[in-house]
Amino acid sequence: MFADLRAHPLKALLVLLIPALTATVYLLYTVQLTRNENDGQIGAVLDDTWIHVRFAANIAAGEGLSYNEGVLTSGATSPLWVLILAAAFKITTPALMQQVDTAIFLSAVGQIVAVLAITGFGWFITRRAWVGWLAGMITALTGRMVWMGLSGMEITTFTALCVLALWSHVDDLRNGRVFGWRTGILAALATLGRPEGYLLALLIGLEAIFLTQRKLSDQNDSSVSLWFRFLSTWRGALGYILLAGTYPLVCLLISGYPLPNTFRVKSQLGREWPDLPYAFFWQPRVDFGWLLILLAGVGLGWMLWRVWRNQDTARVGEGLRPSPTKIKINITGLVYSVWPILFVLAVLFMGADRYVVNNSRYVAPAIPFQALAASIGVMVIATSLQRSAVRDQQSTKIPSVSSVSLWFKNFVPVFLSAALLFFAFFTGRGQPSNVANDVRQLRTMHIAAGEWVTQNTAPDALIALNDVGAIIEISDRRVLDLEGLVSAEVIDAVRGTSKYSCARDLPLMRLMLQQRPALIGVFPWWYPCMTGWPDLLQPYHVFTIMGPTVIGGGEMVMYWPQWENWPIQAEMSPQTTPIDAEFEQGIWLVGYETAQVEGGLQVTLWWQAQTQPDMDYTVFVHLTDSSGEIISQHDSPPQDGRFLTSLWRTGDIIPDVHLIPLTSPLPPGVSVNLRVGLYPSAGGANLPRVASPIDQPDHVTIPLQER
């Protein structure tokens, strides 16, 4: 795997050192810029960093994979990263804010390792050191990778492990091995780094078994050869299963599901397909421009052509020619060439907008492979031009013309390489400022909110939040995660609902009614139904940031919940008069209250859902005299249309206020009745009652004695 590096130690030192130093200098420059703009502080750019820190700190403290004290949860997307942080915390015992600094340092190390890995891998697969150097330099100069390196997240470590796993896999192919133990371990570590590692391991395994040609001296039967290759994978498979299989087992034991909560929450399979052509090219176009995309296409074509040739090749003189060996071995493999494509497609398939959210962190691991493909594209053009120049030199009788042609054709690859480096740096030159801005915004909002929660809530308080990282780690409060990342009950409650709708907010409101958080902190636009409900939440403190942001919103509001105004109640009011009237669709009228108010008679109906109604109904409340004539009435869907019956769920107790307009108060002693029922909002007959009196087949008559 490292034979080329060991064979040329001084050359290897130079080739590897320059990209690594470039990456280090770029990272240090960004750190200094961030410190200058943040009162000498460096910090996380994402709240997710604090989530990893929280898990790691609890593991280091001996509390296991928990977020709320004593409650295990499979909420860590990257168990490898959490364990790395936990080990660092156990050794160094950093203070609270230094925990994030430790995570940032380690992710920066991951960035440098990723640069070194893609440099060495590029040299290894092409036998040209300059190709690896160019790929490493492009990666080091890409602003988005610098942002990832200072994110305190697992992205750079996962990227480096993907490169190393593919490097080991190609080395296996060249040496006639099938999924060796080293490849299995590296693939397992990548899988523990991010769930997308499952795809990488699957592709490597499939290629090792089905696509690698291996000629056996004692077997001519292809089925036997396939079986031999399958059995030959046992070392790598065993290493992979023993490592990567641990976390799915842990998740299964904790939540009954083999993947972490984050995968269940954030995966929205297939919703990205309509926008796929734009999404697929968005990140490389923004980071590099179309030049890299075109050169990467050339490089990809060459790699696929090498796979199609499927024979050992060796560099001879100016070009490549087939070696005389009779055993055909795929020396480069198919997976490494198509991995960035399949990886991005898989990420886009798993969730809409993943190519832009959080500074494109989900697709960022493809960047070094895109840089490598473009570098190989330059190599292909260089080789073609060099061969053409040699032919021109041999066929041209005028030396000056031949020299100009040779110079020009040697200059083109140099120009393309320089252009790639320039565009990689130029297009991403704003990322260091983005790091400084994102750190400042997170400090202004989340860290300040964490300190505010510490000062304004009891130590044992439960807080409901949609961003659970910094606020909870700083305040050390229990949390109900409204996004479900660390609260699995939320995932089950909102399954099948659409974001930014009452259909999603109401299940969350049911959970909060059960658990009664002391404080609710959210981005209001994430929960428009809940935050827009009249008198439901009392704003107490607002945290605001300005300008472009990777945070979920420019305004986070801390609310006190007003439980008496909740659209669903745990029980009826003590002032309620009980009644027992069952309608079809599982709708029960279980109580009522009346009160004379300005403008008319206020009637509060208490409904209970025994099952989920299959359509929306409008409630009619008629005030009638003793002869049944209607004095006045009020018709509206429950709670003035905010809580439609199709949103009711089994067990809901729903207060429903209706104001029957009256021009003057009813005289004392007048006997009146309420006639209550439902009819389809779309039109149709009244909803029948179940086991009703003969004279009330589709309504309830409630006698009232006005005093």
Side-chain angles (χ1 to χ4, degrees):
M1 183 171 171
F2 302 115
D4 290 332
L5 305 181
R6 289 193 298 265
H8 309 282
L10 293 178
K11 182 179 180 180
L13 180 63
L14 184 63
V15 169
L16 294 172
L17 190 60
I18 294 177
L21 284 177
T22 302
T24 302
V25 170
Y26 207 171
L27 288 166
L28 290 175
Y29 164 75
T30 306
V31 167
Q32 189 58 45
L33 177 65
T34 302
R35 289 170 61 91
N36 291 342
E37 297 186 11
N38 288 276
D39 303 322
Q41 301 294 317
I42 182 71
V45 295
L46 287 174
D47 190 58
D48 295 49
T49 305
W50 284 91
I51 296 177
H52 289 301
V53 165
R54 174 77 172 179
F55 275 117
N58 284 346
I59 290 176
E63 298 177 9
L65 193 63
S66 64
Y67 208 82
N68 291 326
E69 184 178 357
V71 181
L72 296 178
T73 180
S74 55
T77 307
S78 178
L80 176 66
W81 187 242
V82 168
L83 291 175
I84 290 173
L85 295 180
F89 295 168
K90 191 69 175 179
I91 295 170
T92 61
T93 61
L96 177 64
M97 303 307 288
Q98 280 66 54
Q99 291 175 343
V100 171
D101 294 343
T102 301
I104 294 170
F105 171 77
L106 292 174
S107 67
V109 171
Q111 159 70 347
I112 296 170
V113 173
V115 168
L116 290 170
I118 201 66
T119 302
F121 185 43
W123 183 352
F124 176 79
I125 62 172
T126 63
R127 304 300 194 198
R128 289 165 169 81
W130 70 266
V131 174
W133 179 88
L134 180 58
M137 286 295 295
I138 294 172
T139 304
L141 290 172
T142 301
R144 198 178 307 275
M145 286 302 294
V146 173
W147 192 95
M148 300 300 159
L150 295 175
S151 67
M153 298 286 288
E154 79 285 354
I155 300 299
T156 54
T157 300
F158 171 71
T159 304
L161 288 170
C162 288
V163 176
L164 292 172
L166 288 168
W167 189 348
S168 178
H169 171 59
V170 175
D171 186 61
D172 285 347
L173 300 182
R174 286 186 175 178
N175 290 281
R177 294 189 297 266
V178 182
F179 201 49
W181 64 268
R182 180 184 60 203
T183 303
I185 291 175
L186 288 170
L189 292 175
T191 301
L192 293 173
R194 282 204 60 81
E196 293 88 345
Y198 287 111
L199 175 63
L200 177 64
L202 176 64
L203 294 173
I204 289 175
L206 291 176
E207 179 172 58
I209 296 173
F210 295 104
L211 301 182
T212 303
Q213 294 192 20
R214 182 184 181 94
K215 186 174 181 179
L216 303 176
S217 58
D218 57 344
Q219 297 289 350
N220 294 320
D221 189 342
S222 61
S223 63
V224 175
S225 175
L226 178 63
W227 179 244
F228 178 88
R229 278 180 274 149
F230 179 76
L231 293 179
S232 298
T233 65
W234 72 270
R235 294 178 183 85
L238 181 63
Y240 181 83
I241 292 171
L242 289 178
L243 279 176
T246 54
Y247 194 51
L249 181 60
V250 169
C251 292
L252 192 64
L253 292 174
I254 292 176
S255 66
Y257 192 82
L259 290 173
N261 295 341
T262 46
F263 182 87
R264 299 167 61 191
V265 170
K266 295 185 177 182
S267 60
Q268 304 172 35
L269 301 182
R271 298 187 185 181
E272 191 62 37
W273 290 126
D275 198 29
L276 189 57
Y278 174 84
F280 183 77
F281 289 106
W282 185 89
Q283 173 264 317
R285 181 179 58 81
V286 170
D287 284 338
F288 308 111
W290 286 106
L291 176 63
L292 179 134
I293 295 175
L294 295 174
L295 289 173
V298 174
L300 176 62
W302 178 84
M303 289 184 280
L304 295 177
W305 173 73
R306 288 286 297 275
V307 173
W308 177 74
R309 284 182 63 187
N310 196 31
Q311 59 186 1
D312 193 10
T313 56
R315 185 181 178 196
V316 178
E318 296 294 331
L320 298 169
R321 66 171 177 81
S323 72
T325 179
K326 294 181 180 179
I327 299 178
K328 293 185 176 181
I329 301 175
N330 186 339
I331 67 163
T332 57
L334 177 64
V335 174
Y336 93 92
S337 57
V338 299
W339 167 245
I341 298 174
L342 296 179
F343 169 76
V344 172
L345 289 176
V347 169
L348 297 180
F349 182 71
M350 284 192 295
D353 294 336
R354 284 193 164 208
Y355 60 97
V356 293
V357 69
N358 295 159
N359 206 19
S360 301
R361 71 180 174 100
Y362 291 104
V363 296
I367 289 175
F369 294 97
Q370 295 164 348
L372 177 57
S375 301
I376 292 175
V378 174
M379 181 199 74
V380 172
I381 294 173
T383 302
S384 177
L385 290 175
Q386 287 168 0
R387 288 174 175 171
S388 175
V390 170
R391 288 194 298 269
D392 290 347
Q393 194 172 27
Q394 293 172 349
S395 61
T396 303
K397 297 180 180 180
I398 303 175
S400 60
V401 175
S402 175
S403 299
V404 171
S405 175
L406 181 61
W407 178 88
F408 175 76
K409 292 178 179 179
N410 285 329
F411 171 77
V412 170
V414 175
F415 172 78
L416 291 175
S417 299
L420 284 175
L421 295 175
F422 171 78
F423 284 118
F425 176 76
F426 184 79
T427 56
R429 68 192 184 281
Q431 289 290 351
S433 296
N434 290 345
V435 172
N437 176 69
D438 296 339
V439 169
R440 180 174 59 255
Q441 290 183 341
L442 200 74
R443 292 178 64 206
T444 302
M445 178 175 284
H446 291 72
I447 294 177
E451 295 169 348
W452 183 88
V453 168
T454 303
Q455 297 169 2
N456 290 275
T457 60
D460 62 346
L462 175 69
I463 313 298
L465 299 169
N466 62 265
D467 263 11
V468 300
I471 297 174
I472 296 304
E473 179 63 2
I474 291 171
S475 66
D476 197 26
R477 301 301 192 258
R478 295 180 300 120
V479 66
L480 173 63
D481 180 4
L482 298 180
E483 290 299 293
L485 304 182
V486 298
S487 301
E489 64 269 30
V490 170
I491 303 174
D492 297 327
V494 302
R495 181 179 290 114
T497 62
S498 298
K499 279 194 170 187
Y500 320 122
S501 68
C502 282
R504 187 178 185 87
D505 288 2
L506 284 165
L508 297 176
M509 292 155 71
R510 291 185 182 94
L511 279 178
M512 285 186 276
L513 182 67
Q514 296 169 7
Q515 301 188 25
R516 298 295 177 105
L519 196 68
I520 300 173
V522 295
F523 300 125
W525 71 275
W526 282 29
Y527 309 94
C529 183
M530 179 174 66
T531 57
W533 209 291
D535 303 321
L536 191 71
L537 301 172
Q538 178 184 340
Y540 193 78
H541 198 92
V542 180
F543 298 90
T544 305
I545 55 176
M546 304 298 292
T549 179
V550 294
I551 297 174
E555 182 180 87
M556 176 187 289
V557 183
M558 294 293 171
Y559 297 96
W560 297 127
Q562 307 299 300
W563 299 116
E564 67 277 8
N565 297 328
W566 224 244
I568 309 163
Q569 294 291 316
E571 57 185 7
M572 291 190 298
S573 166
Q575 291 77 33
T576 301
T577 301
I579 193 174
D580 184 9
E582 180 183 2
F583 292 82
E584 292 184 0
Q585 298 284 321
I587 298 175
W588 286 64
L589 181 61
V590 293
Y592 70 94
E593 302 172 44
T594 60
Q596 284 270 14
V597 298
E598 184 178 354
L601 179 67
Q602 179 177 287
V603 179
T604 302
L605 303 174
W606 288 83
W607 303 97
Q608 184 168 16
Q610 299 299 320
T611 185
Q612 178 181 348
D614 60 9
M615 67 173 65
D616 294 324
Y617 289 93
T618 295
V619 177
F620 64 84
V621 184
H622 297 167
L623 182 66
T624 64
D625 59 21
S626 56
S627 65
E629 292 294 323
I630 296 176
I631 301 172
S632 185
Q633 70 182 75
H634 183 265
D635 292 24
S636 78
Q639 298 187 2
D640 288 329
R642 288 186 296 273
F643 197 4
L644 303 176
T645 55
S646 59
L647 298 174
W648 294 5
R649 297 297 181 266
T650 301
D652 284 353
I653 298 175
I654 304 105
D656 178 25
V657 178
H658 296 261
L659 179 62
I660 300 177
L662 295 173
T663 56
S664 61
L666 292 173
V670 174
S671 295
V672 292
N673 299 315
L674 289 177
R675 182 188 300 155
V676 179
L678 306 99
Y679 58 86
S681 297
N686 291 349
L687 183 66
R689 287 181 60 185
V690 176
S692 63
I694 297 176
D695 61 337
Q696 302 176 33
D698 57 5
H699 64 274
V700 181
T701 298
I702 303 172
L704 298 179
Q705 180 68 40
E706 291 294 331
R707 295 183 296 274

